Amino acid sequence: MTTQNSDGTLQPMLEVTGVSKSFPGVRALDDVRLTVYPGEVNALCGENGAGKSTLISILSGVQAPDTGTVIVNGAPLAPTPTGALEAGIATIYQKRQFVPAMTVAENVMLGNWPTSGGFISRRKMRKKALDALREVAPHLDPEKLGRELSPAEAQEIDIARALSRDSRILIMDEPTTALSPPEIKRLLALVHRLKESGMGIIFVSHWLDEVLEIADRVTVLRDGKYVGEAPAAELDAQGIIKMMVGREVKDPPIPHRTIGDTVLEVRGLTRTGMFSDISFDVRAGEIVSFAGIAGAGRTEVVQAIFGADKYDSGTVRVSGVTLRPGHVTSAVDAGIGLIPEERHLQGLVEQLTVRDNMTLAALRDVSPGGWLRRSKEDAIDRRYTKELAVKAASSAVRISTLSGGNQQKVLIARWLARNPKVLILDEPTKGVDVGAKAEIHSLIARLAEQGVAVLLVTSELPEVLLLSDRVLVMRQGRLVAEVPKNELTQEAVMAPATGESVPTPLEVTAP
């Protein structure tokens, strides 16, 4: 419902005033304010640890504020998830909310089952689901199973679920992180349509180009405090960054390096249905990037190199030593480290401390004779916490309490403790803020300068252009182009990645 003040101006749908929230040892929010009006997108920006997630949890009813007020359409928000839903607030989280064994229609109506005579009415459920899907994703089959959904389709289910509940305020937390460029374009078009229908949207994203494209206003938090807000039309990316971090953040200079001998050799690597005939080299001190759109097979290739997945044919050698296929220990012993794309699922042990996560790959070194030596653990922890500027209350806190950028630094430290010859980084800046991203870029350059062979998988073209000595472009499971640094442009990468040039098997470039 749209309400006007006596002077004809719109009243906000959502008004946050003076909200503060503390946890043991941490003041997460301090006198924060935020407003959302009908038919607008307010982008909530800030570094990891700025307080965005805590504010979202309060607006979603998961947490109650210590002080301050949250008013929705003129009424105080009840601090429970049910209270938020009844007030018309729906939250689309980074981690998709669906049940793999249920159909699309069932997932749309999840927790909101229509009944008839005391029993769930499948007819009513299907009708309400179709009504919501018609606005969001008319192409989706309501009988399709959740396990068959792509990340973009799963997100559309979340939005359709919000519409089925007649939600009028939509919180979107990093909605494009797992999407390909065409899927992002489709999502932003959907956000435009929702805005035009009168919905108020809080849009949280680290991708500032998306913020500037979609937002009407930008609200910035820093260290749990409200910094300010401004119309998006009056800002540029550097303006937002300065508000977020209090200074300009520039890409680090990438020093010239001496490229050494070949360290990693991959020949004819094939896994049926995933990738075919992958051959390339990476030399000491060289940064080689895998580029391509989502589904090109890049992650599958690096996981096979690391031994996490088996392959049907081909060889992987490190310093001339052939690795056993599908054998992680063989890869680790040869000097390969992997920072996986999904750090929460494949990298971090979230129940363990920062120190335990950092030393996990070096258990042999910190446990000689099978007995854990705390002094050895502490030495590794102190060294890399300082070298990588890991920010944590202490090394004894759970890794889950750290920001995304600091979690990523801990994963990198885990492998640095083993002095790797080859470090594979799969989407290393995914879900981290601009300040942490610049620090990770500097760290990657520094590792290469120290002689580590770096294999980088990234979907960010600016990252590719900044860091790469060579770029290998994949499409549909095959290497289709190799671009040297002196020929590196966005067009040179995207044309073969999207099929503008016909893919042909790529010959290996001799080192």
Side-chain angles (χ1 to χ4, degrees):
M1 182 176 67
T2 301
T3 308
Q4 292 185 331
N5 296 310
S6 57
D7 60 0
T9 59
L10 287 178
Q11 287 186 5
M13 308 172 78
L14 171 69
E15 192 167 14
V16 176
T17 307
V19 162
S20 297
K21 180 68 179 179
S22 295
F23 300 100
V26 178
R27 191 164 179 82
L29 295 176
D30 186 3
D31 195 25
V32 165
R33 61 184 186 268
L34 173 78
T35 55
V36 179
Y37 289 89
E40 79 154 358
V41 176
N42 189 345
L44 181 61
C45 294
E47 293 189 276
N48 289 121
K52 304 187 302 295
S53 295
T54 302
L55 181 56
I56 289 171
S57 71
I58 288 172
L59 298 179
S60 304
V62 176
Q63 301 277 355
D66 297 335
T67 60
T69 58
V70 180
I71 304 298
V72 182
N73 293 320
L77 176 67
T80 65
T82 301
L85 289 172
E86 290 177 348
I89 298 176
T91 303
I92 312 299
Y93 294 97
Q94 288 186 54
K95 194 175 290 185
R96 305 296 172 239
Q97 309 294 305
F98 69 94
V99 180
M102 287 185 173
T103 66
V104 164
E106 290 168 337
N107 271 291
V108 168
M109 301 307 299
L110 197 61
N112 189 31
W113 313 111
T115 59
S116 178
F119 295 93
I120 293 174
S121 170
R122 296 195 65 83
R123 182 182 61 81
K124 288 182 180 180
M125 179 184 71
R126 183 181 173 87
K127 182 182 183 304
K128 287 200 72 173
L130 284 173
D131 288 343
L133 287 168
R134 197 173 293 117
E135 295 185 55
V136 175
H139 58 281
L140 274 181
D141 179 358
E143 299 304 317
K144 187 175 184 178
L145 290 178
R147 68 171 63 96
E148 300 169 353
L149 297 174
S150 70
E153 290 171 336
Q155 189 172 73
E156 289 167 342
I157 295 300
D158 287 343
I159 297 173
R161 186 183 303 125
L163 296 184
S164 75
R165 293 177 177 272
D166 298 321
S167 302
R168 301 305 300 156
I169 299 170
L170 188 63
I171 303 171
M172 307 185 78
D173 185 11
E174 297 289 352
T176 63
T177 299
L179 305 186
S180 66
E183 290 169 337
I184 292 171
K185 186 175 180 181
R186 191 170 79 192
L187 175 70
L188 296 184
L190 173 58
V191 173
H192 273 297
R193 293 202 306 273
L194 295 174
K195 179 178 76 170
E196 289 171 357
S197 73
M199 185 173 278
I201 298 169
I202 299 173
F203 190 87
V204 181
S205 176
H206 288 309
W207 312 118
L208 298 185
D209 54 343
E210 294 173 4
V211 167
L212 292 169
E213 178 179 346
I214 200 68
D216 299 291
R217 280 189 302 132
V218 177
T219 299
V220 177
L221 303 182
R222 187 197 312 154
D223 298 329
K225 297 180 180 180
Y226 171 85
V227 173
E229 65 173 46
E234 298 178 5
L235 294 169
D236 58 14
Q238 275 301 323
I240 298 174
I241 290 170
K242 188 173 285 189
M243 291 175 73
M244 287 167 55
V245 301
R247 66 187 190 281
E248 285 192 31
V249 176
K250 295 183 178 179
D251 288 324
I254 306 300
H256 177 73
R257 303 180 306 282
T258 300
I259 305 300
D261 296 332
T262 297
V263 177
L264 175 67
E265 300 173 76
V266 178
R267 293 291 181 271
L269 209 64
T270 298
R271 183 182 175 192
T272 304
M274 293 291 180
F275 50 83
S276 177
D277 197 24
I278 304 296
S279 298
F280 64 92
D281 298 327
V282 186
R283 294 172 286 177
E286 186 179 29
I287 302 174
V288 175
S289 292
F290 260 137
I293 63 174
R298 298 168 299 163
T299 292
E300 290 78 6
V301 169
V302 297
Q303 289 189 164
I305 291 171
F306 186 64
D309 294 331
K310 291 185 176 180
Y311 46 91
D312 300 320
S313 60
T315 57
V316 178
R317 296 187 183 92
V318 175
S319 299
V321 177
T322 301
L323 307 188
R324 290 175 58 187
H327 200 266
V328 171
T329 303
S330 176
V332 172
D333 288 346
I336 298 181
L338 170 66
I339 313 300
E341 178 182 11
E342 299 294 343
R343 63 174 175 269
H344 294 289
L345 297 176
Q346 301 168 315
L348 302 173
V349 183
E350 298 195 343
Q351 296 83 3
L352 296 183
T353 66
V354 173
R355 179 180 53 233
D356 291 339
N357 271 276
M358 191 179 290
T359 58
L360 204 55
L363 285 178
R364 291 181 191 169
D365 297 328
V366 300
S367 304
W371 294 94
L372 180 65
R373 299 290 195 274
R374 182 65 73 187
S375 60
K376 291 181 177 290
E377 266 199 324
D378 288 342
I380 291 173
D381 171 44
R382 284 194 302 271
R383 175 182 175 182
Y384 291 108
T385 294
K386 182 178 180 180
E387 284 188 17
L388 275 60
V390 177
K391 297 176 184 176
S394 81
S395 295
V397 301
R398 284 190 177 188
I399 190 79
S400 57
T401 65
L402 270 61
S403 69
N406 284 296
Q407 290 175 346
Q408 201 73 321
K409 289 180 187 178
V410 171
L411 286 180
I412 294 171
R414 176 187 296 174
W415 293 110
L416 295 189
R418 291 190 60 90
N419 297 313
K421 296 178 180 178
V422 180
L423 187 61
I424 304 171
L425 300 112
D426 193 353
E427 303 288 2
T429 59
K430 178 179 177 179
V432 306
D433 60 66
V434 290
K437 185 177 295 187
E439 290 178 333
I440 291 171
H441 288 168
S442 293
L443 176 58
I444 292 170
R446 194 161 75 242
L447 292 173
E449 198 173 6
Q450 293 168 2
V452 177
V454 177
L455 182 58
L456 175 65
V457 178
T458 176
S459 300
E460 283 197 67
L461 272 176
E463 198 161 76
V464 170
L465 300 178
L466 173 69
L467 294 171
S468 306
D469 296 305
R470 278 187 297 132
V471 177
L472 304 174
V473 184
M474 284 193 69
R475 185 166 78 88
Q476 297 176 352
R478 290 198 291 168
L479 282 176
V480 295
E482 178 179 321
V483 186
K485 191 175 186 67
N486 61 351
E487 298 176 13
L488 199 51
T489 64
Q490 290 195 19
E491 293 76 15
V493 173
M494 289 307 297
T498 56
E500 292 183 25
S501 60
V502 178
T504 54
L506 181 69
E507 295 295 327
V508 177
T509 299

